[in-house]
Amino acid sequence: MSSKPYAHRASRIDSQRAAQLREEISAFHGEYCSVLDRGDLEQWPLFFTEDAMYRITGRENADLDLPVGLVYCEGRAMMHDRAVAIARTQMFAPRYNLHMIGLVRVEAEEPNGILAQTPFLLIQTLVEGPSTVHLAGCYHDRFVRVDGQLLLAERHVIHDTNILANDLVYPA
Amino acid sequence: MSSKPYAHRASRIDSQRAAQLREEISAFHGEYCSVLDRGDLEQWPLFFTEDAMYRITGRENADLDLPVGLVYCEGRAMMHDRAVAIARTQMFAPRYNLHMIGLVRVEAEEPNGILAQTPFLLIQTLVEGPSTVHLAGCYHDRFVRVDGQLLLAERHVIHDTNILANDLVYPA
Amino acid sequence: MSSKPYAHRASRIDSQRAAQLREEISAFHGEYCSVLDRGDLEQWPLFFTEDAMYRITGRENADLDLPVGLVYCEGRAMMHDRAVAIARTQMFAPRYNLHMIGLVRVEAEEPNGILAQTPFLLIQTLVEGPSTVHLAGCYHDRFVRVDGQLLLAERHVIHDTNILANDLVYPA
């Protein structure tokens, strides 16, 4: 085992700049989750670029670098369709969603965007039921700046929790 | 669906100022939760203004704009009484409380205070038991500044979790 | 009950300096947890000073100021041995770990280090299983600065959750 300090391996970005970006990305996550937790699904695609990629996949798939996943959307139009479908299922099986966001880790700031990872929990509560951890995982994001504000160009929602493939899973 | 970027809808406050306030409110939450998690209930009312309002209510009630709720305190004296009652029940059914706080979202800074929302989890552990999500929800707060420091003038604890009306619920 | 504002009791540090340290410690936690959540156990001791102390103990023991605990490591070498042992058990009973970190609270900055407390959840997911709160608790840390970067000189992981003494518990 090397005794090389941990940070020299992990950091591909200046620590002051990383702090700024962490703050900005945290603010983004706060708005994003607020929209989802209020059930305001039609606003969800607006957090992405027009041609963004959104994917939900298990950690096992991600570790094997498999492109497959539970959910795959390319572009806002596909996300919009998905949002409509989910809004419909919510009418039949109502539940409350609450996203808890962990610490943002900025990996790199590159010409094609900012790479960041953020752990999250999606807590679900069925009517008359307790609150449980529905999904635990980590966002692997690529952000770009459009008119000064951050938008997601890519979000890979990589979950630890085992979920059924036919589940119309709520956006994370 | 409009393609208007999300932030133009949500923001009623300059982003730099919002960042400052998020930091300050996070520090407040940290102290608040530390007091509760240590079981130091008599300090709890000190985070509020003398005539503050504290309410715990379900999301269903909140969505319907109903004033009712599980808990309603007006002023520090009522909170103090509640703290004493809860401290007593804790002697008979001991449990550990741990508050996990999500990302602060500052909605507005107005003459009558700072409006902010923050998701939270209250994790409870009974003696010899596992830790479970006892309460999942969101603080809807109004902060005012007294002698330079933030105090809660209003806290609406809006929970997703279904809880029994006669439960002497621990402060969130 | 005194009406003395809460902060005059808690703060032993200037609020601006505390904000800086909270940011820096949050970044540290982010890297630390990322290493553990990826299963990169051999990097774990590198977050500590050479002669650091690492302890996992129940809140009951901690409240009674008992030095005992479930896990006790003195120095990186002991942590390394532990990491190897845990890596081995993970091969036989695979599970995913996800650390969710709460708000950092800086208690003091003293000649012998920075004292901070941070609540955490360790979420575990067994293969084919749901995600559950495996451990809920609070880090009681002492950080020192080595070559400009923070390292843990002491970490007391004080958990609320009841865990079996013979469990080869994953680092928190």
Side-chain angles (χ1 to χ4, degrees):
Chain A
M1 188 178 301
S2 150
S3 67
K4 210 173 157 194
Y6 68 93
H8 293 280
R9 301 179 176 199
S11 67
R12 291 157 59 195
I13 183 167
D14 167 74
S15 71
Q16 199 123 19
R17 179 62 181 154
Q20 275 171 18
L21 290 173
R22 270 197 300 275
E23 213 300 308
E24 199 177 355
I25 293 170
S26 294
F28 178 95
H29 289 321
E31 296 299 326
Y32 180 99
C33 294
S34 167
V35 157
L36 290 177
D37 293 348
R38 283 199 308 264
D40 206 353
L41 277 163
E42 70 166 61
Q43 285 211 41
W44 172 57
L46 304 181
F47 289 89
F48 294 84
T49 61
E50 198 57 64
D51 61 346
M53 194 268 255
Y54 177 80
R55 184 169 74 118
I56 305 182
T57 194
R59 211 204 277 202
E60 210 172 334
N61 286 335
D63 284 349
L64 297 170
D65 229 346
L66 294 175
V68 299
L70 188 56
V71 173
Y72 187 92
C73 293
E74 221 175 279
R76 273 190 189 165
M78 268 183 81
M79 290 181 216
H80 173 66
D81 291 351
R82 187 171 172 77
V84 170
I86 290 164
R88 205 167 293 145
T89 65
Q90 294 278 310
M91 280 186 277
F92 297 108
R95 68 198 61 194
Y96 291 127
N97 294 287
L98 190 79
H99 290 75
M100 290 294 291
I101 300 296
L103 294 172
V104 176
R105 210 167 70 87
V106 177
E107 275 202 305
E109 188 174 23
E110 295 173 350
N112 74 336
I114 299 153
L115 303 180
Q117 294 175 14
T118 314
F120 74 92
L121 299 180
L122 172 52
I123 306 291
Q124 274 198 351
T125 308
L126 287 131
V127 180
E128 310 284 307
S131 297
T132 55
V133 178
H134 185 68
L135 212 58
C138 189
Y139 300 135
H140 290 243
D141 294 329
R142 181 164 63 84
F143 288 96
V144 294
R145 208 173 284 281
V146 178
D147 299 334
Q149 90 177 336
L150 293 182
L151 289 178
L152 282 165
E154 269 180 68
R155 164 157 287 187
H156 302 258
V157 178
I158 298 179
H159 55 85
D160 293 358
T161 319
N162 195 57
I163 40 177
L164 297 174
N166 59 352
D167 197 6
L168 242 186
V169 68
Y170 201 78
Chain B
M1 191 178 300
S2 151
S3 67
K4 208 173 159 195
Y6 66 94
H8 293 281
R9 302 181 175 196
S11 67
R12 290 156 59 195
I13 182 169
D14 168 73
S15 71
Q16 200 121 18
R17 179 63 182 152
Q20 276 172 16
L21 290 173
R22 271 197 300 277
E23 213 298 309
E24 198 177 355
I25 292 170
S26 294
F28 178 95
H29 288 322
E31 297 299 325
Y32 180 101
C33 294
S34 167
V35 157
L36 289 178
D37 293 349
R38 282 199 308 264
D40 207 354
L41 276 163
E42 70 166 58
Q43 285 212 42
W44 171 58
L46 304 181
F47 289 88
F48 294 84
T49 60
E50 198 58 64
D51 61 347
M53 194 268 257
Y54 177 80
R55 183 168 75 119
I56 305 182
T57 194
R59 210 204 278 201
E60 210 173 333
N61 286 336
D63 285 349
L64 297 171
D65 230 347
L66 295 175
V68 298
L70 187 56
V71 174
Y72 188 91
C73 293
E74 223 175 279
R76 273 189 188 166
M78 268 182 81
M79 291 182 215
H80 173 66
D81 290 349
R82 187 170 172 77
V84 169
I86 290 165
R88 205 167 291 145
T89 66
Q90 293 278 309
M91 278 186 276
F92 297 108
R95 65 198 62 192
Y96 291 127
N97 294 288
L98 189 80
H99 291 74
M100 289 294 291
I101 299 296
L103 294 172
V104 176
R105 211 167 69 86
V106 177
E107 275 202 306
E109 187 175 22
E110 295 172 352
N112 72 335
I114 299 153
L115 303 181
Q117 295 174 14
T118 313
F120 74 90
L121 299 179
L122 172 52
I123 307 291
Q124 273 198 352
T125 308
L126 287 131
V127 180
E128 309 284 306
S131 296
T132 55
V133 178
H134 185 69
L135 212 59
C138 190
Y139 299 136
H140 290 244
D141 293 329
R142 181 164 63 85
F143 288 96
V144 294
R145 208 174 285 280
V146 179
D147 298 333
Q149 89 177 338
L150 294 182
L151 289 178
L152 282 165
E154 268 180 69
R155 165 156 288 188
H156 303 257
V157 179
I158 299 179
H159 56 86
D160 293 358
T161 319
N162 195 56
I163 40 178
L164 296 174
N166 59 352
D167 196 5
L168 242 186
V169 67
Y170 201 79
Chain C
M1 187 179 303
S2 150
S3 67
K4 209 174 159 195
Y6 67 93
H8 292 282
R9 302 180 175 198
S11 68
R12 291 156 58 195
I13 183 168
D14 167 73
S15 72
Q16 200 122 19
R17 179 61 181 154
Q20 275 172 17
L21 290 172
R22 271 197 300 277
E23 213 300 308
E24 199 177 354
I25 293 170
S26 295
F28 178 95
H29 289 322
E31 297 299 325
Y32 180 100
C33 294
S34 166
V35 158
L36 290 177
D37 293 349
R38 282 198 309 266
D40 207 354
L41 277 163
E42 71 166 60
Q43 286 212 41
W44 172 58
L46 304 180
F47 289 88
F48 293 84
T49 60
E50 198 58 62
D51 61 347
M53 195 267 255
Y54 177 79
R55 183 169 75 120
I56 305 183
T57 195
R59 210 203 279 200
E60 211 173 333
N61 286 335
D63 284 349
L64 297 171
D65 229 347
L66 295 175
V68 299
L70 188 56
V71 174
Y72 187 90
C73 293
E74 222 175 279
R76 273 189 189 166
M78 268 183 82
M79 291 182 216
H80 174 66
D81 291 349
R82 186 170 172 79
V84 170
I86 290 165
R88 205 167 292 146
T89 64
Q90 293 278 310
M91 278 186 277
F92 297 108
R95 65 198 62 193
Y96 291 128
N97 294 288
L98 190 79
H99 290 74
M100 290 293 292
I101 300 296
L103 295 172
V104 177
R105 211 166 71 85
V106 178
E107 275 202 305
E109 188 175 22
E110 295 173 352
N112 72 336
I114 298 153
L115 303 180
Q117 295 175 13
T118 313
F120 74 91
L121 298 180
L122 172 52
I123 307 290
Q124 275 199 351
T125 309
L126 287 131
V127 180
E128 310 283 308
S131 297
T132 54
V133 179
H134 185 69
L135 212 58
C138 189
Y139 299 135
H140 290 244
D141 294 329
R142 181 165 62 86
F143 289 95
V144 294
R145 208 174 285 280
V146 179
D147 299 333
Q149 88 177 340
L150 293 182
L151 289 177
L152 282 166
E154 267 180 69
R155 165 157 289 187
H156 303 257
V157 179
I158 299 179
H159 55 85
D160 293 358
T161 320
N162 196 56
I163 41 178
L164 296 174
N166 58 353
D167 196 7
L168 241 185
V169 69
Y170 201 78

